[in-house]
């Protein structure tokens, strides 16, 4: 019995050491390496796969793909590609593995011949796994250095848990509104996070919620010109899915605009809204919006 315990301890110790010695993963978060031979990719998979993974991010003024796809043949799947953060392999097996060849890595093997679902259904399920994994990674990464003092104040005042990256500065902290801002001198970007309460019990995002957001914009977020203020862009219908709303804002009597995203937290007698929006002209917004979704 003692002998088996010693062997088990040695085995677990070896596994821990192996995990600790894995190299860091490479590649961008929203990038997926797809390992499949050209013939199968071109003749059967590419169209449906691209339809699912290359779809546009909702709520942006310009089209930006949710994921970038790098397709390679099996013969090209070298050690360099094995360290990539996100990998899909079409093979004879069905398996999902974390940290297979590198840290913070997700590898999914698919056997489309044994799958009873359609290609569209299969790819949609796989995509949802990568979306959740990416948001969890971004949240975990932010949490390591986030502003715990502000987060605790928000938790105390509004009873929700949001993450505030350390780069944000607190502007207002009250029971009515928490307002944080990121406005770096070295680049043309302003990002804001707002947390506030709507004193109505709601179960869905409706015009009452949207009007409440506009009211907070009007009261607090002003432009430099007289009578200029931020408002939801009415020419673009916000995209609402469960408790998340995505859309565009613009500066009334001004020339600024950009995307916003907010989450609603429904309580018995009130609704708490955590909202983030950015002004970042001439840059891709995908990474900013995905960070917002992860921390709100």
């Amino acid at each position: 019995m003692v002998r088996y315990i010693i062997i088990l301890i040695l085995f677990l110790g070896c596994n821990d050491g192996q995990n600790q010695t894995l190299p860091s993963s490479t590649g961008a978060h929203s990038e997926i390496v797809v390992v499949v031979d050209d013939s199968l990719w071109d003749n059967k998979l590419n169209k449906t796969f691209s339809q699912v993974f290359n779809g546009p991010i909702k709520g942006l003024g310009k089209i930006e793909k949710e994921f970038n796809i790098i397709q390679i043949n099996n013969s090209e799947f070298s050690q360099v590609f094995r360290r990539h953060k996100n990998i899909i392999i079409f093979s004879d097996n069905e398996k999902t593995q974390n940290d297979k060849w590198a840290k913070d890595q997700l590898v999914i093997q698919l056997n489309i011949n044994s799958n009873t679902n359609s290609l569209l259904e299969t790819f949609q399920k796989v995509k949802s796994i990568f979306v959740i994994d990416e948001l969890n990674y971004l949240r975990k990464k932010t949490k390591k250095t986030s502003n715990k003092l502000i987060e605790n104040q928000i938790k105390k005042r509004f009873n929700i848990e949001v993450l505030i990256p350390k780069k944000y500065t607190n502007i207002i902290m009250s029971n009515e509104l928490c307002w944080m801002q990121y406005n770096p001198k070295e680049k043309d970007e302003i990002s804001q996070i707002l947390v506030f309460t709507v004193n109505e019990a709601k179960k869905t995002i409706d015009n009452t919620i949207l009007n409440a957001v506009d009211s907070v914009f009007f009261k607090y977020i002003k432009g430099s010109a007289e009578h200029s203020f931020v408002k939801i862009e009415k020419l673009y219908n916000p995209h609402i899915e469960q408790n998340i709303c995505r859309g565009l804002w613009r500066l009334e009597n001004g020339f600024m605009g950009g995307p916003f995203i907010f989450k609603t937290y429904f309580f018995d007698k009130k609704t708490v809204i955590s909202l983030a929006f950015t002004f970042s002209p001439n840059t891709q917004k995908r990474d900013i919006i995905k960070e917002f979704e992860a921390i709100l």
Side-chain angles (χ1 to χ4, degrees):
M1 182 67 177
V2 174
R3 177 171 173 265
Y4 291 137
I5 293 175
I6 293 173
I7 292 174
L8 178 60
I9 292 173
L10 289 174
F11 174 76
L12 293 175
C14 290
N15 278 351
D16 288 342
Q18 185 178 14
N19 289 337
Q20 291 173 1
T21 57
L22 282 173
S24 299
S25 56
T26 60
H29 304 308
S30 300
E31 186 177 76
I32 301 176
V33 170
V34 180
V35 185
V36 60
D37 288 336
D38 289 340
S39 57
L40 181 58
W41 178 254
D42 293 335
N43 296 325
K44 187 173 183 179
L45 303 178
N46 187 4
K47 183 177 180 180
T48 306
F49 193 94
S50 298
Q51 176 186 342
V52 174
F53 284 86
N54 288 153
I57 296 177
K58 304 292 191 303
L60 297 186
K62 296 182 179 180
I63 293 177
E64 294 187 35
K65 299 176 182 178
E66 285 193 81
F67 292 93
N68 293 335
I69 304 303
I70 302 174
Q71 181 263 325
I72 61 172
N73 289 285
N74 282 281
S75 60
E76 299 171 309
F77 191 38
S78 63
Q79 192 65 33
V80 174
F81 285 113
R82 290 175 192 269
R83 288 183 55 187
H84 200 283
K85 178 173 175 53
N86 302 312
I87 301 174
I88 295 176
I89 303 173
F90 288 90
S91 67
D92 295 330
N93 301 314
E94 292 273 353
K95 188 181 294 185
T96 299
Q97 294 173 281
N98 293 100
D99 303 340
K100 181 174 177 61
W101 293 296
K103 296 177 183 177
D104 298 316
Q105 182 184 61
L106 176 60
V107 179
I108 295 182
Q109 293 177 258
L110 288 176
N111 182 351
I112 58 173
N113 295 321
S114 66
N115 202 313
T116 58
N117 296 325
S118 68
L119 283 179
L120 182 62
E121 291 174 318
T122 299
F123 293 159
Q124 286 173 337
K125 289 179 179 179
V126 171
K127 176 191 163 185
S128 68
I129 295 174
F130 278 101
V131 168
I132 293 171
D133 183 74
E134 183 174 36
L135 292 176
N136 287 338
Y137 173 80
L138 291 173
R139 189 170 179 86
K140 178 182 176 182
K141 180 182 177 182
T142 302
K143 192 172 184 177
K144 290 179 180 178
T145 58
S146 63
N147 193 319
K148 304 299 188 294
L149 179 61
I150 295 179
E151 291 165 4
N152 290 336
Q153 286 293 319
I154 293 174
K155 173 67 175 177
K156 179 181 178 181
R157 296 169 191 271
F158 297 94
N159 196 28
I160 66 170
E161 295 183 359
V162 299
L163 297 180
I164 306 300
K166 63 178 181 179
K167 62 186 179 182
Y168 281 78
T169 301
N170 184 55
I171 306 298
I172 294 177
M173 179 63 68
S174 70
N175 291 332
E176 180 181 345
L177 175 78
C178 292
W179 175 11
M180 286 66 62
Q181 183 182 87
Y182 172 59
N183 187 9
K185 295 180 180 179
E186 66 275 9
K187 56 182 178 179
D188 192 10
E189 177 185 344
I190 304 175
S191 293
Q192 321 259 13
I193 299 175
L194 306 173
V195 182
F196 55 94
T197 298
V198 179
N199 291 317
E200 291 192 39
K202 292 288 182 179
K203 297 299 181 184
T204 59
I205 298 174
D206 58 12
N207 285 333
T208 301
I209 298 295
L210 295 175
N211 290 336
V213 170
D214 258 344
S215 296
V216 170
F217 278 156
F218 176 78
K219 183 176 181 179
Y220 293 100
I221 314 298
K222 306 288 187 178
S224 57
E226 188 177 4
H227 305 304
S228 63
F229 57 90
V230 167
K231 64 183 298 185
I232 295 175
E233 175 56 80
K234 303 301 183 185
L235 296 178
Y236 180 92
N237 290 326
H239 178 80
I240 298 171
E241 187 174 0
Q242 296 180 342
N243 72 320
I244 300 177
C245 178
R246 309 166 187 268
L248 296 176
W249 64 271
R250 69 178 178 88
L251 185 66
E252 183 77 0
N253 299 315
F255 300 98
M256 298 173 68
F260 72 81
I261 180 173
F262 69 77
K263 292 184 180 180
T264 49
Y265 296 85
F266 303 115
F267 296 90
D268 289 340
K269 297 182 179 180
K270 65 180 182 180
T271 302
V272 175
I273 297 174
S274 59
L275 179 149
F277 65 102
T278 188
F279 173 73
S280 182
N282 304 317
T283 62
Q284 298 285 305
K285 310 299 190 299
R286 179 175 66 184
D287 291 347
I288 298 175
I289 288 297
K290 287 191 174 185
E291 180 186 74
F292 285 163
E293 185 174 358
I295 66 177
L296 291 179

